[in-house]
Amino acid sequence: MKSIGLDTSGKMIVKGPQKAKGTLTVSGAKNAVLPIMGASLLTDDDIDLRNVPDLADVRTMIEILESAGKVIERFDDQLIIKSSGNINSEIPYEPVRKMRASFNVYGPLTLRNGYAKVALPGGCSIGARPVDFHLEGLKKLGIESTIEHGFVTSKLNNPNSFINISLPFPSVGATEHVLTTACLLEGVKTTITNCAIEPEVTDLVNFLNKMGAKITGGGTSILKIEGVKKLSGVKYTIIPDRIEAGTYIILGKLVGEKLTIKNVSAEHLNSLFSVFDNIGSPVDYDEKKREVKVAETLLNPLNSISMETAPFPGFPTDLQPQITTFLSLVPGRSTITETVFKSRFYHIDELNRMGAKIRVEDNTAIIEGVNKLSGAPVEATDLRAAAALLIAGLVAEGETIISNVDHIFRGYENIHEKLEQVGIELIYEK
Ligand code: EPU
């Protein structure tokens, strides 16, 4: 296996069908650690994070924090974020292009330096991803933004003492960005309604409160924040990644042979478990051990289903491509309506190249189950599409070559090594 780069160009060659046998352990959650790392900009004290996955996106966030004046030390899954004494609040286009979550340092940097200049994120392969909710929310917090030459530049005005922000949609990023920024507005009481309640948002709330923030309503759609003057250093352990866990459960349902998945937070995956209940293949979860035992299920009688993605506690859009691969092999007609990123369907044509029978109408994928997939050259357009194609390659007959596969390293820690440990053979070429 060659070393992993940060671009997306690599190739994965998968010879199917294969079987996975042994134990996979889920890492810390990408979408929890990224905003938490961003929130480290609110203090000059040391932040000591545990269960931090080694992912391309985490490395991008490290680059951003370093360019903003932080000094980072990494030991295995521990990340220590220290201050160099300087704060630079200008973030160039490159890291924001690589990872949209970079934009969420804009509000905190503005508060620390009175000004920030951050590249405006562009389009993205899972569909339009504007930041209008972020900018409108920040404006209510007193942060005036001007967009020029692809950058957003801020000016900090005096905010009102009581601020109400109602998000037009429970956006994960906008909730996290506005929430994090509001924590350091001394004496200001902010209420955010229609918040995202994804577990990663709640992890951020818990982290900020441990730093000394005054937030109530964590885990609900109404967050109340009383701004404080100073936040302090903290030791914090990141929650397990529910999307990584869900991906391995789906993989196990297709190619598992006595596969155990450890470090699973079932309370974050109820929607996936109930989809498998409806399909007729319940997930075997041991609550005490927090582990799932899973085996290939295609030979059992399965039901086709109609489902949709939705903000938490609904079915996550980040598992839609992977469950689509699964449903492509379930007899009958299934449908998946994508309500979060309405055009997140670029994996469908690739699955069809492997023999799936799926068509897209508006924001619904209509899947006619087939009895096998066959290997083909395919292209990954984002990290979840890459995971869906990898699972498809493992269950398909013959060779699948996934190009642009490096997307997968943005969200799955050591996926090739983890899969090799359960007997899967993959060839990775840079
Ligand atoms: N939206 C707007 N305006 C905004 C913000 C969002 O119109 O200002 C729209 C988006 O276009 C989208 C919907 O609101 O249609 C939801 O977007 P959201 O803001 O919730 O997504 P995000 O914060 O950009 C995070 C995750 C995504 C995940 C989504 C939805 C991180 C770093 N990213 O993105 O993760 O799909 O929430 O759950 O937390 C992934 O891990 O593969 C991934 C894409």
PDB file of all heavy atoms in Angstrom, residues 30-31 34 101 126 128-134 169-173 198 317-318 340-341 344 383-384, ligand 1:
ATOM      1  N   LYS A  30     -15.533  12.399  12.053  1.00  0.00           N
ATOM      2  CA  LYS A  30     -15.014  13.513  11.236  1.00  0.00           C
ATOM      3  C   LYS A  30     -15.830  14.784  11.451  1.00  0.00           C
ATOM      4  O   LYS A  30     -15.280  15.858  11.711  1.00  0.00           O
ATOM      5  CB  LYS A  30     -15.063  13.130   9.741  1.00  0.00           C
ATOM      6  CG  LYS A  30     -14.902  14.319   8.798  1.00  0.00           C
ATOM      7  CD  LYS A  30     -14.923  13.911   7.342  1.00  0.00           C
ATOM      8  CE  LYS A  30     -16.269  13.894   6.683  1.00  0.00           C
ATOM      9  NZ  LYS A  30     -16.794  15.195   6.241  1.00  0.00           N
ATOM     10  N   ASN A  31     -17.159  14.662  11.322  1.00  0.00           N
ATOM     11  CA  ASN A  31     -17.978  15.878  11.338  1.00  0.00           C
ATOM     12  C   ASN A  31     -18.169  16.448  12.745  1.00  0.00           C
ATOM     13  O   ASN A  31     -18.756  17.515  12.907  1.00  0.00           O
ATOM     14  CB  ASN A  31     -19.318  15.627  10.641  1.00  0.00           C
ATOM     15  CG  ASN A  31     -19.125  15.456   9.141  1.00  0.00           C
ATOM     16  OD1 ASN A  31     -18.055  15.785   8.615  1.00  0.00           O
ATOM     17  ND2 ASN A  31     -20.132  14.933   8.448  1.00  0.00           N
ATOM     18  N   LEU A  34     -14.114  18.297  13.242  1.00  0.00           N
ATOM     19  CA  LEU A  34     -13.778  19.491  12.434  1.00  0.00           C
ATOM     20  C   LEU A  34     -14.287  20.781  13.084  1.00  0.00           C
ATOM     21  O   LEU A  34     -13.506  21.713  13.297  1.00  0.00           O
ATOM     22  CB  LEU A  34     -14.286  19.341  11.000  1.00  0.00           C
ATOM     23  CG  LEU A  34     -13.607  18.242  10.170  1.00  0.00           C
ATOM     24  CD1 LEU A  34     -14.280  18.105   8.800  1.00  0.00           C
ATOM     25  CD2 LEU A  34     -12.117  18.518   9.982  1.00  0.00           C
ATOM     26  N   ALA A 101     -15.916  22.830   5.293  1.00  0.00           N
ATOM     27  CA  ALA A 101     -16.022  23.054   6.738  1.00  0.00           C
ATOM     28  C   ALA A 101     -15.001  24.093   7.213  1.00  0.00           C
ATOM     29  O   ALA A 101     -15.138  24.660   8.300  1.00  0.00           O
ATOM     30  CB  ALA A 101     -15.831  21.738   7.491  1.00  0.00           C
ATOM     31  N   ILE A 126     -21.645  17.369  -4.414  1.00  0.00           N
ATOM     32  CA  ILE A 126     -22.918  16.817  -3.926  1.00  0.00           C
ATOM     33  C   ILE A 126     -24.050  17.829  -4.100  1.00  0.00           C
ATOM     34  O   ILE A 126     -25.138  17.636  -3.605  1.00  0.00           O
ATOM     35  CB  ILE A 126     -22.833  16.298  -2.471  1.00  0.00           C
ATOM     36  CG1 ILE A 126     -22.482  17.397  -1.483  1.00  0.00           C
ATOM     37  CG2 ILE A 126     -21.840  15.163  -2.368  1.00  0.00           C
ATOM     38  CD1 ILE A 126     -22.530  16.941  -0.031  1.00  0.00           C
ATOM     39  N   ALA A 128     -25.440  22.182  -4.694  1.00  0.00           N
ATOM     40  CA  ALA A 128     -25.212  23.553  -4.230  1.00  0.00           C
ATOM     41  C   ALA A 128     -25.029  23.560  -2.722  1.00  0.00           C
ATOM     42  O   ALA A 128     -25.747  22.888  -1.993  1.00  0.00           O
ATOM     43  CB  ALA A 128     -26.418  24.414  -4.591  1.00  0.00           C
ATOM     44  N   ARG A 129     -24.026  24.274  -2.249  1.00  0.00           N
ATOM     45  CA  ARG A 129     -23.834  24.371  -0.795  1.00  0.00           C
ATOM     46  C   ARG A 129     -23.518  25.813  -0.429  1.00  0.00           C
ATOM     47  O   ARG A 129     -22.391  26.152  -0.076  1.00  0.00           O
ATOM     48  CB  ARG A 129     -22.724  23.427  -0.336  1.00  0.00           C
ATOM     49  CG  ARG A 129     -23.128  21.971  -0.486  1.00  0.00           C
ATOM     50  CD  ARG A 129     -22.027  21.034  -0.114  1.00  0.00           C
ATOM     51  NE  ARG A 129     -21.894  20.850   1.323  1.00  0.00           N
ATOM     52  CZ  ARG A 129     -20.958  20.090   1.879  1.00  0.00           C
ATOM     53  NH1 ARG A 129     -20.084  19.474   1.126  1.00  0.00           N
ATOM     54  NH2 ARG A 129     -20.888  19.952   3.182  1.00  0.00           N
ATOM     55  N   PRO A 130     -24.540  26.673  -0.483  1.00  0.00           N
ATOM     56  CA  PRO A 130     -24.306  28.089  -0.166  1.00  0.00           C
ATOM     57  C   PRO A 130     -24.031  28.304   1.328  1.00  0.00           C
ATOM     58  O   PRO A 130     -24.185  27.389   2.131  1.00  0.00           O
ATOM     59  CB  PRO A 130     -25.621  28.753  -0.573  1.00  0.00           C
ATOM     60  CG  PRO A 130     -26.638  27.686  -0.613  1.00  0.00           C
ATOM     61  CD  PRO A 130     -25.939  26.378  -0.796  1.00  0.00           C
ATOM     62  N   VAL A 131     -23.615  29.538   1.677  1.00  0.00           N
ATOM     63  CA  VAL A 131     -23.381  29.853   3.099  1.00  0.00           C
ATOM     64  C   VAL A 131     -24.236  31.044   3.529  1.00  0.00           C
ATOM     65  O   VAL A 131     -23.901  31.752   4.475  1.00  0.00           O
ATOM     66  CB  VAL A 131     -21.881  30.111   3.395  1.00  0.00           C
ATOM     67  CG1 VAL A 131     -21.085  28.820   3.362  1.00  0.00           C
ATOM     68  CG2 VAL A 131     -21.285  31.143   2.451  1.00  0.00           C
ATOM     69  N   ASP A 132     -25.364  31.242   2.822  1.00  0.00           N
ATOM     70  CA  ASP A 132     -26.213  32.393   3.146  1.00  0.00           C
ATOM     71  C   ASP A 132     -26.753  32.345   4.579  1.00  0.00           C
ATOM     72  O   ASP A 132     -26.816  33.364   5.269  1.00  0.00           O
ATOM     73  CB  ASP A 132     -27.358  32.537   2.122  1.00  0.00           C
ATOM     74  CG  ASP A 132     -28.111  31.241   1.863  1.00  0.00           C
ATOM     75  OD1 ASP A 132     -27.545  30.156   2.138  1.00  0.00           O
ATOM     76  OD2 ASP A 132     -29.256  31.296   1.399  1.00  0.00           O
ATOM     77  N   PHE A 133     -27.111  31.142   5.073  1.00  0.00           N
ATOM     78  CA  PHE A 133     -27.637  31.062   6.453  1.00  0.00           C
ATOM     79  C   PHE A 133     -26.550  31.452   7.456  1.00  0.00           C
ATOM     80  O   PHE A 133     -26.824  32.057   8.493  1.00  0.00           O
ATOM     81  CB  PHE A 133     -28.128  29.654   6.803  1.00  0.00           C
ATOM     82  CG  PHE A 133     -29.134  29.048   5.853  1.00  0.00           C
ATOM     83  CD1 PHE A 133     -29.305  27.670   5.813  1.00  0.00           C
ATOM     84  CD2 PHE A 133     -29.907  29.831   5.013  1.00  0.00           C
ATOM     85  CE1 PHE A 133     -30.224  27.090   4.946  1.00  0.00           C
ATOM     86  CE2 PHE A 133     -30.826  29.255   4.142  1.00  0.00           C
ATOM     87  CZ  PHE A 133     -30.987  27.880   4.106  1.00  0.00           C
ATOM     88  N   HIS A 134     -25.320  31.065   7.135  1.00  0.00           N
ATOM     89  CA  HIS A 134     -24.202  31.416   8.027  1.00  0.00           C
ATOM     90  C   HIS A 134     -24.104  32.947   8.117  1.00  0.00           C
ATOM     91  O   HIS A 134     -24.063  33.522   9.201  1.00  0.00           O
ATOM     92  CB  HIS A 134     -22.856  30.917   7.476  1.00  0.00           C
ATOM     93  CG  HIS A 134     -22.736  29.432   7.323  1.00  0.00           C
ATOM     94  ND1 HIS A 134     -21.663  28.725   7.803  1.00  0.00           N
ATOM     95  CD2 HIS A 134     -23.529  28.522   6.719  1.00  0.00           C
ATOM     96  CE1 HIS A 134     -21.798  27.447   7.501  1.00  0.00           C
ATOM     97  NE2 HIS A 134     -22.923  27.301   6.831  1.00  0.00           N
ATOM     98  N   PHE A 169     -33.475  26.484   7.576  1.00  0.00           N
ATOM     99  CA  PHE A 169     -33.379  25.024   7.450  1.00  0.00           C
ATOM    100  C   PHE A 169     -32.394  24.611   8.548  1.00  0.00           C
ATOM    101  O   PHE A 169     -31.460  25.357   8.841  1.00  0.00           O
ATOM    102  CB  PHE A 169     -32.814  24.659   6.058  1.00  0.00           C
ATOM    103  CG  PHE A 169     -32.693  23.175   5.796  1.00  0.00           C
ATOM    104  CD1 PHE A 169     -33.756  22.456   5.261  1.00  0.00           C
ATOM    105  CD2 PHE A 169     -31.514  22.493   6.091  1.00  0.00           C
ATOM    106  CE1 PHE A 169     -33.650  21.087   5.029  1.00  0.00           C
ATOM    107  CE2 PHE A 169     -31.400  21.119   5.853  1.00  0.00           C
ATOM    108  CZ  PHE A 169     -32.474  20.419   5.320  1.00  0.00           C
ATOM    109  N   PRO A 170     -32.592  23.444   9.171  1.00  0.00           N
ATOM    110  CA  PRO A 170     -31.662  23.049  10.243  1.00  0.00           C
ATOM    111  C   PRO A 170     -30.288  22.651   9.692  1.00  0.00           C
ATOM    112  O   PRO A 170     -29.891  21.493   9.728  1.00  0.00           O
ATOM    113  CB  PRO A 170     -32.373  21.877  10.924  1.00  0.00           C
ATOM    114  CG  PRO A 170     -33.344  21.360   9.925  1.00  0.00           C
ATOM    115  CD  PRO A 170     -33.727  22.503   9.030  1.00  0.00           C
ATOM    116  N   SER A 171     -29.584  23.636   9.160  1.00  0.00           N
ATOM    117  CA  SER A 171     -28.257  23.410   8.575  1.00  0.00           C
ATOM    118  C   SER A 171     -27.243  23.090   9.675  1.00  0.00           C
ATOM    119  O   SER A 171     -27.145  23.822  10.663  1.00  0.00           O
ATOM    120  CB  SER A 171     -27.832  24.673   7.819  1.00  0.00           C
ATOM    121  OG  SER A 171     -26.427  24.801   7.798  1.00  0.00           O
ATOM    122  N   VAL A 172     -26.509  22.013   9.459  1.00  0.00           N
ATOM    123  CA  VAL A 172     -25.499  21.596  10.437  1.00  0.00           C
ATOM    124  C   VAL A 172     -24.420  22.682  10.551  1.00  0.00           C
ATOM    125  O   VAL A 172     -24.103  23.167  11.638  1.00  0.00           O
ATOM    126  CB  VAL A 172     -24.871  20.241   9.998  1.00  0.00           C
ATOM    127  CG1 VAL A 172     -23.687  19.864  10.884  1.00  0.00           C
ATOM    128  CG2 VAL A 172     -25.933  19.147  10.001  1.00  0.00           C
ATOM    129  N   GLY A 173     -23.864  23.063   9.393  1.00  0.00           N
ATOM    130  CA  GLY A 173     -22.757  24.023   9.399  1.00  0.00           C
ATOM    131  C   GLY A 173     -23.178  25.380   9.946  1.00  0.00           C
ATOM    132  O   GLY A 173     -22.447  25.985  10.745  1.00  0.00           O
ATOM    133  N   GLU A 198     -28.056  17.159  14.868  1.00  0.00           N
ATOM    134  CA  GLU A 198     -27.157  16.037  14.585  1.00  0.00           C
ATOM    135  C   GLU A 198     -26.266  15.801  15.816  1.00  0.00           C
ATOM    136  O   GLU A 198     -25.892  16.757  16.512  1.00  0.00           O
ATOM    137  CB  GLU A 198     -26.277  16.380  13.369  1.00  0.00           C
ATOM    138  CG  GLU A 198     -26.795  15.940  12.004  1.00  0.00           C
ATOM    139  CD  GLU A 198     -28.099  16.613  11.560  1.00  0.00           C
ATOM    140  OE1 GLU A 198     -28.588  17.518  12.259  1.00  0.00           O
ATOM    141  OE2 GLU A 198     -28.630  16.225  10.504  1.00  0.00           O
ATOM    142  N   THR A 317     -28.158  11.779   4.909  1.00  0.00           N
ATOM    143  CA  THR A 317     -27.761  11.870   3.503  1.00  0.00           C
ATOM    144  C   THR A 317     -26.380  11.241   3.293  1.00  0.00           C
ATOM    145  O   THR A 317     -26.087  10.729   2.217  1.00  0.00           O
ATOM    146  CB  THR A 317     -27.762  13.344   3.033  1.00  0.00           C
ATOM    147  OG1 THR A 317     -27.197  13.406   1.726  1.00  0.00           O
ATOM    148  CG2 THR A 317     -26.948  14.264   3.927  1.00  0.00           C
ATOM    149  N   ASP A 318     -25.546  11.254   4.342  1.00  0.00           N
ATOM    150  CA  ASP A 318     -24.187  10.709   4.203  1.00  0.00           C
ATOM    151  C   ASP A 318     -24.160   9.178   4.131  1.00  0.00           C
ATOM    152  O   ASP A 318     -23.096   8.597   3.932  1.00  0.00           O
ATOM    153  CB  ASP A 318     -23.297  11.198   5.360  1.00  0.00           C
ATOM    154  CG  ASP A 318     -23.036  12.691   5.269  1.00  0.00           C
ATOM    155  OD1 ASP A 318     -23.237  13.268   4.188  1.00  0.00           O
ATOM    156  OD2 ASP A 318     -22.639  13.283   6.299  1.00  0.00           O
ATOM    157  N   VAL A 340     -31.944  16.452   1.570  1.00  0.00           N
ATOM    158  CA  VAL A 340     -30.940  17.358   2.155  1.00  0.00           C
ATOM    159  C   VAL A 340     -30.080  17.999   1.060  1.00  0.00           C
ATOM    160  O   VAL A 340     -30.012  19.223   0.954  1.00  0.00           O
ATOM    161  CB  VAL A 340     -30.086  16.634   3.219  1.00  0.00           C
ATOM    162  CG1 VAL A 340     -29.041  17.582   3.808  1.00  0.00           C
ATOM    163  CG2 VAL A 340     -30.975  16.079   4.327  1.00  0.00           C
ATOM    164  N   PHE A 341     -29.405  17.164   0.263  1.00  0.00           N
ATOM    165  CA  PHE A 341     -28.665  17.661  -0.910  1.00  0.00           C
ATOM    166  C   PHE A 341     -29.378  17.080  -2.139  1.00  0.00           C
ATOM    167  O   PHE A 341     -29.114  15.934  -2.513  1.00  0.00           O
ATOM    168  CB  PHE A 341     -27.200  17.226  -0.875  1.00  0.00           C
ATOM    169  CG  PHE A 341     -26.416  17.886   0.214  1.00  0.00           C
ATOM    170  CD1 PHE A 341     -25.962  17.164   1.302  1.00  0.00           C
ATOM    171  CD2 PHE A 341     -26.138  19.248   0.168  1.00  0.00           C
ATOM    172  CE1 PHE A 341     -25.245  17.775   2.319  1.00  0.00           C
ATOM    173  CE2 PHE A 341     -25.415  19.870   1.182  1.00  0.00           C
ATOM    174  CZ  PHE A 341     -24.977  19.129   2.255  1.00  0.00           C
ATOM    175  N   ARG A 344     -27.633  14.945  -4.902  1.00  0.00           N
ATOM    176  CA  ARG A 344     -26.537  14.049  -4.505  1.00  0.00           C
ATOM    177  C   ARG A 344     -26.773  12.651  -5.110  1.00  0.00           C
ATOM    178  O   ARG A 344     -27.074  11.678  -4.411  1.00  0.00           O
ATOM    179  CB  ARG A 344     -26.491  13.951  -2.983  1.00  0.00           C
ATOM    180  CG  ARG A 344     -25.251  13.252  -2.459  1.00  0.00           C
ATOM    181  CD  ARG A 344     -25.224  13.224  -0.949  1.00  0.00           C
ATOM    182  NE  ARG A 344     -23.860  13.070  -0.467  1.00  0.00           N
ATOM    183  CZ  ARG A 344     -23.497  13.199   0.794  1.00  0.00           C
ATOM    184  NH1 ARG A 344     -24.374  13.493   1.709  1.00  0.00           N
ATOM    185  NH2 ARG A 344     -22.244  13.031   1.153  1.00  0.00           N
ATOM    186  N   LEU A 383     -16.750  11.582  -1.092  1.00  0.00           N
ATOM    187  CA  LEU A 383     -16.292  10.484  -0.241  1.00  0.00           C
ATOM    188  C   LEU A 383     -17.346   9.422  -0.004  1.00  0.00           C
ATOM    189  O   LEU A 383     -17.037   8.245   0.058  1.00  0.00           O
ATOM    190  CB  LEU A 383     -15.715  11.017   1.070  1.00  0.00           C
ATOM    191  CG  LEU A 383     -16.619  11.342   2.229  1.00  0.00           C
ATOM    192  CD1 LEU A 383     -16.128  10.662   3.480  1.00  0.00           C
ATOM    193  CD2 LEU A 383     -16.576  12.842   2.434  1.00  0.00           C
ATOM    194  N   ARG A 384     -18.625   9.821   0.101  1.00  0.00           N
ATOM    195  CA  ARG A 384     -19.651   8.793   0.345  1.00  0.00           C
ATOM    196  C   ARG A 384     -19.926   7.996  -0.936  1.00  0.00           C
ATOM    197  O   ARG A 384     -20.235   6.812  -0.876  1.00  0.00           O
ATOM    198  CB  ARG A 384     -20.936   9.423   0.875  1.00  0.00           C
ATOM    199  CG  ARG A 384     -20.729  10.335   2.079  1.00  0.00           C
ATOM    200  CD  ARG A 384     -20.029   9.673   3.246  1.00  0.00           C
ATOM    201  NE  ARG A 384     -19.720  10.635   4.308  1.00  0.00           N
ATOM    202  CZ  ARG A 384     -18.932  10.377   5.349  1.00  0.00           C
ATOM    203  NH1 ARG A 384     -18.337   9.203   5.490  1.00  0.00           N
ATOM    204  NH2 ARG A 384     -18.720  11.297   6.268  1.00  0.00           N
TER     205      ARG A 384
HETATM  206  N1  EPU B   1     -27.800  25.314   3.066  1.00  0.00           N
HETATM  207  C1  EPU B   1     -28.144  26.554   2.515  1.00  0.00           C
HETATM  208  N2  EPU B   1     -27.515  27.666   3.005  1.00  0.00           N
HETATM  209  C2  EPU B   1     -26.577  27.617   3.987  1.00  0.00           C
HETATM  210  C3  EPU B   1     -26.236  26.356   4.539  1.00  0.00           C
HETATM  211  C4  EPU B   1     -26.860  25.213   4.064  1.00  0.00           C
HETATM  212  O1  EPU B   1     -28.986  26.623   1.636  1.00  0.00           O
HETATM  213  O2  EPU B   1     -26.056  28.657   4.377  1.00  0.00           O
HETATM  214  C5  EPU B   1     -28.463  24.098   2.561  1.00  0.00           C
HETATM  215  C6  EPU B   1     -27.481  23.183   1.814  1.00  0.00           C
HETATM  216  O3  EPU B   1     -27.340  23.584   0.479  1.00  0.00           O
HETATM  217  C7  EPU B   1     -28.115  21.821   1.965  1.00  0.00           C
HETATM  218  C8  EPU B   1     -28.791  21.899   3.344  1.00  0.00           C
HETATM  219  O4  EPU B   1     -28.885  23.294   3.653  1.00  0.00           O
HETATM  220  O5  EPU B   1     -29.092  21.624   0.981  1.00  0.00           O
HETATM  221  C9  EPU B   1     -28.034  21.192   4.438  1.00  0.00           C
HETATM  222  O6  EPU B   1     -26.698  21.608   4.498  1.00  0.00           O
HETATM  223  P1  EPU B   1     -25.889  21.670   5.871  1.00  0.00           P
HETATM  224  O7  EPU B   1     -25.481  23.059   6.110  1.00  0.00           O
HETATM  225  O8  EPU B   1     -26.671  20.962   6.932  1.00  0.00           O
HETATM  226  O9  EPU B   1     -24.603  20.802   5.503  1.00  0.00           O
HETATM  227  P2  EPU B   1     -23.105  21.148   5.866  1.00  0.00           P
HETATM  228  O10 EPU B   1     -22.993  21.719   7.207  1.00  0.00           O
HETATM  229  O11 EPU B   1     -22.470  21.862   4.725  1.00  0.00           O
HETATM  230  C10 EPU B   1     -22.653  18.858   7.051  1.00  0.00           C
HETATM  231  C11 EPU B   1     -21.696  17.722   6.883  1.00  0.00           C
HETATM  232  C12 EPU B   1     -22.008  16.975   5.612  1.00  0.00           C
HETATM  233  C13 EPU B   1     -23.440  16.452   5.717  1.00  0.00           C
HETATM  234  C14 EPU B   1     -24.405  17.617   5.981  1.00  0.00           C
HETATM  235  C15 EPU B   1     -25.837  17.178   6.200  1.00  0.00           C
HETATM  236  C16 EPU B   1     -19.731  18.552   8.002  1.00  0.00           C
HETATM  237  C17 EPU B   1     -18.322  18.995   7.927  1.00  0.00           C
HETATM  238  N3  EPU B   1     -20.337  18.245   6.857  1.00  0.00           N
HETATM  239  O12 EPU B   1     -22.481  19.680   5.895  1.00  0.00           O
HETATM  240  O13 EPU B   1     -21.103  15.880   5.552  1.00  0.00           O
HETATM  241  O14 EPU B   1     -23.805  15.819   4.514  1.00  0.00           O
HETATM  242  O15 EPU B   1     -23.978  18.340   7.145  1.00  0.00           O
HETATM  243  O16 EPU B   1     -25.923  16.297   7.265  1.00  0.00           O
HETATM  244  O17 EPU B   1     -20.278  18.443   9.095  1.00  0.00           O
HETATM  245  C18 EPU B   1     -19.903  14.169   4.508  1.00  0.00           C
HETATM  246  O18 EPU B   1     -19.398  13.911   5.619  1.00  0.00           O
HETATM  247  O19 EPU B   1     -19.785  13.406   3.504  1.00  0.00           O
HETATM  248  C19 EPU B   1     -20.670  15.396   4.352  1.00  0.00           C
HETATM  249  C20 EPU B   1     -20.936  15.932   3.156  1.00  0.00           C
END
